[in-house]
Short mmCIF file of all heavy atoms in Angstrom, two decimals:
data_model
loop_
_atom_site.label_atom_id
_atom_site.label_comp_id
_atom_site.label_asym_id
_atom_site.label_seq_id
_atom_site.Cartn_x
_atom_site.Cartn_y
_atom_site.Cartn_z
N LYS C 20 -52.15 -46.94 49.44
CA LYS C 20 -53.46 -46.58 49.98
C LYS C 20 -53.72 -47.32 51.29
O LYS C 20 -52.95 -48.18 51.71
CB LYS C 20 -54.53 -46.88 48.94
CG LYS C 20 -54.45 -45.96 47.74
CD LYS C 20 -55.64 -46.15 46.81
CE LYS C 20 -55.56 -45.18 45.62
NZ LYS C 20 -56.72 -45.36 44.72
N CYS C 23 -55.28 -51.14 50.08
CA CYS C 23 -54.77 -51.87 48.91
C CYS C 23 -53.38 -51.37 48.56
O CYS C 23 -52.90 -50.39 49.14
CB CYS C 23 -55.72 -51.72 47.72
SG CYS C 23 -55.82 -50.03 47.13
N ASN C 24 -52.72 -52.01 47.60
CA ASN C 24 -51.34 -51.67 47.27
C ASN C 24 -51.19 -50.53 46.26
O ASN C 24 -50.08 -50.24 45.82
CB ASN C 24 -50.62 -52.90 46.71
CG ASN C 24 -50.38 -53.93 47.79
OD1 ASN C 24 -51.12 -54.91 47.90
ND2 ASN C 24 -49.38 -53.72 48.62
N CYS C 25 -52.30 -49.93 45.85
CA CYS C 25 -52.19 -48.84 44.87
C CYS C 25 -51.32 -47.71 45.44
O CYS C 25 -51.45 -47.36 46.61
CB CYS C 25 -53.57 -48.27 44.57
SG CYS C 25 -54.58 -49.35 43.58
N ASN C 36 -54.14 -45.05 39.54
CA ASN C 36 -53.85 -45.61 40.86
C ASN C 36 -55.11 -46.25 41.46
O ASN C 36 -55.51 -45.92 42.58
CB ASN C 36 -53.33 -44.53 41.82
CG ASN C 36 -52.07 -43.86 41.31
OD1 ASN C 36 -51.40 -44.40 40.43
ND2 ASN C 36 -51.77 -42.70 41.83
N THR C 37 -55.74 -47.13 40.72
CA THR C 37 -56.94 -47.79 41.23
C THR C 37 -56.86 -49.28 40.94
O THR C 37 -56.15 -49.71 40.02
CB THR C 37 -58.22 -47.24 40.59
OG1 THR C 37 -58.12 -47.35 39.16
CG2 THR C 37 -58.46 -45.80 40.97
N CYS C 38 -57.57 -50.07 41.75
CA CYS C 38 -57.58 -51.52 41.59
C CYS C 38 -58.94 -52.04 42.05
O CYS C 38 -59.76 -51.27 42.55
CB CYS C 38 -56.44 -52.14 42.40
SG CYS C 38 -56.76 -52.14 44.17
N PRO C 39 -59.21 -53.33 41.90
CA PRO C 39 -60.53 -53.84 42.30
C PRO C 39 -60.88 -53.55 43.76
O PRO C 39 -62.05 -53.36 44.09
CB PRO C 39 -60.41 -55.34 42.05
CG PRO C 39 -59.38 -55.47 40.97
CD PRO C 39 -58.40 -54.37 41.24
N VAL C 40 -59.87 -53.48 44.65
CA VAL C 40 -60.17 -53.25 46.07
C VAL C 40 -60.66 -51.82 46.30
O VAL C 40 -61.71 -51.61 46.91
CB VAL C 40 -58.93 -53.53 46.96
CG1 VAL C 40 -59.23 -53.20 48.42
CG2 VAL C 40 -58.49 -54.98 46.83
N CYS C 41 -59.90 -50.84 45.81
CA CYS C 41 -60.28 -49.46 46.15
C CYS C 41 -61.49 -48.98 45.38
O CYS C 41 -62.14 -48.01 45.81
CB CYS C 41 -59.10 -48.50 46.06
SG CYS C 41 -58.20 -48.47 44.53
N ILE C 42 -61.82 -49.59 44.23
CA ILE C 42 -63.08 -49.17 43.61
C ILE C 42 -64.23 -50.09 44.03
O ILE C 42 -65.33 -50.01 43.51
CB ILE C 42 -62.99 -48.98 42.08
CG1 ILE C 42 -62.72 -50.28 41.36
CG2 ILE C 42 -61.95 -47.93 41.71
CD1 ILE C 42 -62.95 -50.16 39.86
ZN1 ZN J 1 -56.39 -49.91 44.95
#
Side-chain angles (χ1 to χ4, degrees):
Chain C
K20 291 188 178 180
C23 65
N24 289 100
C25 287
N36 301 342
T37 55
C38 74
V40 176
C41 54
I42 65 167

